[in-house]
Amino acid sequence: MMKSRKFLKTSATVFAVLAWVSLALQLVVGLAVLVMGGPPVPIGGAEIPARLIGILNFAAAAIYWFLFMFISHATRALLDVHEKATGSSS
């Protein structure tokens, strides 16, 4: 049981780090595409301007950050509930 708790605590930390790394990378890529532009990107038969893709990267950054942070906090909350229910702490 102790190994699984340690694994879950490590997983929560990994997801928090992934949240910040993905946010930083998506913002940098989005800003680069927004500033530099480029040829239109064909998506679903329509030509989407590259600068719009840069703006969509900003939205993706927020979504991924929220998702990874949610997973991290949910894992920590479940661990806290388990520790309170079993009366153990480590």
Side-chain angles (χ1 to χ4, degrees):
M1 188 61 91
M2 190 64 107
K3 286 183 181 181
S4 64
R5 234 184 285 169
K6 185 175 181 180
F7 173 75
L8 288 174
K9 285 182 181 181
T10 304
S11 298
T13 302
V14 166
F15 276 111
V17 169
L18 275 175
W20 289 107
V21 168
S22 69
L23 179 71
L25 288 176
Q26 286 284 97
L27 289 177
V28 167
V29 169
L31 186 61
V33 172
L34 187 63
V35 169
M36 292 188 281
V41 180
I43 298 177
E47 298 269 330
I48 308 296
R51 291 202 161 114
L52 180 59
I53 300 297
I55 293 171
L56 291 175
N57 268 329
F58 292 149
I63 291 169
Y64 285 127
W65 180 85
F66 178 80
L67 179 66
F68 287 140
M69 288 303 280
F70 177 80
I71 292 170
S72 175
H73 286 283
T75 303
R76 289 186 195 276
L78 288 172
L79 281 169
D80 288 344
V81 168
H82 182 266
E83 286 178 1
K84 284 186 177 37
T86 60
S88 65
S89 64
S90 60

